[in-house]
């Protein structure tokens, strides 16, 4: 009864199509199929223990990470909701090593779908907000089965991206390349309604999000940025900053879109084999596209993340995004780094004393 004067997601997409002659019904249909998957996942998350969907699945995904029951269920829901429409030439998921085969009887379309079916699943069992992330690309060869190289497109080629957040209310946040809009699910009617028509990342902020437990592995530019924020009013920034960390990329993104801030999951020295922690195709590119469409900036810490050429389906990368001025500051600190900044620090000669940085130099 609170939604009758608002546009639905379907009406929003129809209006977008009217203003863009190149837009097709296939594109709209695919987004609505994704939205349907998000509704089903929202229902499963809401039922939690009542539906016996909490806890471990007893298996690992392609990254060697423990799968939760809802990870597997959410992946299956995405597959069922999107493969039948004939709009896809292929799809890839964070939970699957290779492109997911489409049923032989289905028509092949002109779009590719990449998705993280349940982001932040480590928070499921403690009832903290989780979400789903998706990215839509054009297939290089429409009408045929997509192969792995077809998905390896830089984020600048995305035609749409979005996420659903399953919190106190379920929201779908979407960009089709013309700004960012937020839709709230009416659970009674089962429809997404436009509630946030033009989301913009606030330009200034006094909040940052980073996993401080990795501080000893950070590169110097990141440590410099965090140290300056923590120094507060008496430091070089001349302002007090709050630190946040939810361990759910969707929840972190939503907070930054709503009230500003910067998120850092940078490249570090924890594991030399991994140049970052977050997946380029399933997390960084779609979130980066959304953030930049909302007036923010998304970066590897050194350069725009959307310009990175993917090398494999499950590539990981450093990721910094949020209020534009803060991300640009992190990039500037990387540009100003000394040639030996990748070498271990010598704490005896560090200006903040031997004891302050002994652990950080390990």
């Amino acid at each position: 009864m609170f939604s009758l004067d608002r546009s639905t997601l379907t009406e929003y997409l129809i209006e977008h199509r009217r203003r863009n002659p190149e837009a097709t019904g296939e594109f709209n249909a695919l987004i609505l199929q994704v939205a349907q998957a998000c509704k089903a996942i929202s229902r499963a998350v809401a039922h939690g223990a009542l539906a016996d969907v909490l806890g471990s699945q007893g298996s690992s995904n392609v990254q060697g990470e423990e799968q939760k029951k809802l990870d597997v269920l959410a992946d299956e829901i995405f597959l069922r909701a999107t493969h039948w429409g004939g709009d896809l030439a292929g799809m890839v998921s964070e939970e699957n090593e290779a492109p997911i085969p489409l049923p032989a009887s289905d028509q092949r379309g002109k779009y590719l779908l990449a998705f993280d079916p349940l982001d932040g699943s480590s928070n499921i069992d403690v009832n903290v907000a989780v979400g789903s992330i998706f990215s839509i690309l054009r297939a290089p060869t429409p009408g045929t089965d997509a192969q792995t190289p077809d998905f390896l497109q830089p984020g600048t080629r995305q035609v749409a991206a979005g996420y659903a957040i399953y919190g106190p209310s379920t929201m779908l946040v979407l960009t089709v390349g013309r700004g960012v809009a937020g839709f709230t699910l009416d659970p009674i009617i089962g429809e997404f309604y436009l509630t946030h028509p033009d989301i913009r990342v606030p330009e200034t902020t006094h909040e940052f999000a980073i996993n401080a437990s990795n501080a000893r592995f950070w590169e110097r530019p990141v440590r410099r940025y965090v140290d300056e924020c923590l120094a507060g009013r008496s430091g070089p920034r001349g302002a007090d900053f709050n630190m946040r960390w939810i361990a759910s990329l969707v929840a972190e993104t939503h907070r930054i879109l709503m009230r500003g801030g910067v998120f850092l999951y940078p490249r570090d020295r924890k594991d030399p084999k991994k140049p970052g922690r977050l997946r380029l195709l399933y997390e960084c590119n779609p979130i980066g596209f959304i953030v930049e469409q909302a007036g923010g900036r998304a970066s590897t810490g050194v350069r725009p993340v959307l310009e990175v050429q993917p090398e494999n389906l499950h590539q990981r990368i450093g990721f910094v995004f949020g209020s534009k001025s803060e991300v640009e500051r992190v990039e500037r600190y990387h540009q100003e780094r000394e040639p030996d900044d990748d070498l271990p620090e010598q704490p005896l000669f560090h200006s903040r004393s031997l004891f302050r940085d002994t652990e950080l130099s390990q």
Side-chain angles (χ1 to χ4, degrees):
M1 67 180 187
F2 303 107
S3 308
L4 296 180
D5 59 342
R6 299 182 184 276
S7 298
T8 66
L9 173 61
T10 302
E11 291 167 341
Y12 175 88
L13 292 172
I14 290 172
E15 182 60 28
H16 166 74
R17 185 180 178 187
R18 287 172 178 163
R19 287 178 291 179
N20 299 274
E22 72 279 7
T24 66
E26 298 160 86
F27 177 73
N28 288 2
L30 178 56
I31 292 179
L32 291 174
Q33 290 161 22
V34 170
Q36 188 66 30
C38 294
K39 293 176 191 178
I41 296 170
S42 172
R43 184 176 178 85
V45 170
H47 279 77
L50 295 174
D52 191 28
V53 294
L54 300 186
S56 174
Q57 176 72 12
S59 59
S60 300
N61 65 13
V62 65
Q63 304 289 327
E65 299 164 333
E66 179 191 28
Q67 288 181 309
K68 302 290 187 179
K69 291 180 181 178
L70 270 172
D71 283 322
V72 176
L73 177 60
D75 195 57
E76 293 173 350
I77 289 172
F78 255 92
L79 299 186
R80 290 200 305 266
T82 57
H83 77 73
W84 60 271
D87 310 307
L88 289 175
M91 66 173 85
V92 288
S93 163
E94 182 185 309
E95 301 296 325
N96 295 271
E97 183 174 2
I100 301 163
L102 298 176
S105 60
D106 287 359
Q107 176 184 331
R108 302 301 187 258
K110 58 183 179 182
Y111 295 106
L112 305 176
L113 176 67
F115 60 93
D116 179 353
L118 199 65
D119 169 74
S121 58
S122 62
N123 287 323
I124 291 171
D125 294 342
V126 292
N127 207 23
V128 173
V130 294
S132 302
I133 309 172
F134 65 93
S135 167
I136 298 175
L137 298 157
R138 288 189 176 89
T141 54
T144 62
D145 284 307
Q147 305 301 313
T148 293
D150 296 336
F151 294 91
L152 304 182
Q153 303 181 38
T156 52
R157 296 186 184 174
Q158 293 174 104
V159 294
Y163 67 81
I165 181 169
Y166 313 120
S169 62
T170 292
M171 283 191 65
L172 178 70
V173 176
L174 173 71
T175 180
V176 291
R178 292 178 176 268
V180 178
F183 303 82
T184 301
L185 179 64
D186 184 327
I188 305 299
I189 299 175
E191 182 65 82
F192 279 109
Y193 287 91
L194 181 62
T195 52
H196 299 69
D198 186 20
I199 298 175
R200 305 292 295 175
V201 177
E203 295 183 5
T204 59
T205 180
H206 293 133
E207 283 189 351
F208 68 100
I210 194 166
N211 184 355
S213 69
N214 290 325
R216 65 193 184 279
F217 304 115
W218 294 341
E219 295 178 324
R220 286 180 180 173
V222 173
R223 195 181 315 156
R224 174 186 174 185
Y225 177 83
V226 173
D227 284 349
E228 289 182 354
C229 291
L230 293 177
R233 293 183 184 179
S234 61
R237 300 298 304 273
D240 291 329
F241 280 73
N242 293 322
M243 185 167 68
R244 300 282 185 262
W245 186 253
I246 307 174
S248 168
L249 180 60
V250 162
E252 303 279 7
T253 302
H254 198 69
R255 185 189 63 251
I256 288 172
L257 287 177
M258 294 297 108
R259 71 184 193 198
V262 62
F263 171 93
L264 303 97
Y265 212 141
R267 184 184 73 171
D268 59 35
R269 302 179 179 125
K270 188 173 184 178
D271 184 348
K273 297 179 182 178
K274 295 179 180 178
R277 295 291 179 272
L278 299 180
R279 286 83 166 176
L280 178 59
L281 291 185
Y282 312 105
E283 296 170 317
C284 303
N285 275 347
I287 295 299
F289 190 28
I290 293 166
V291 168
E292 297 222 338
Q293 284 291 316
R297 185 167 178 84
S299 172
T300 64
V302 179
R303 65 186 178 114
V305 74
L306 297 183
E307 295 179 2
V308 175
Q309 173 61 50
E311 297 175 359
N312 61 71
L313 291 179
H314 297 282
Q315 179 178 348
R316 296 177 187 247
I317 198 166
F319 195 28
V320 179
F321 70 86
S323 297
K324 188 175 183 180
S325 61
E326 296 301 310
V327 178
E328 289 176 339
R329 180 181 291 270
V330 174
E331 291 176 326
R332 186 168 71 251
Y333 287 177
H334 277 86
Q335 293 167 0
E336 294 172 357
R337 65 193 302 170
E338 296 298 325
D340 64 347
D341 268 355
D342 280 328
L343 298 177
E345 290 192 1
Q346 303 300 317
L348 279 171
F349 304 100
H350 196 280
S351 62
R352 297 193 181 213
S353 88
L354 169 64
F355 302 101
R356 164 64 170 78
D357 273 343
T358 299
E359 185 181 19
L360 295 181
S361 66
Q362 299 301 311

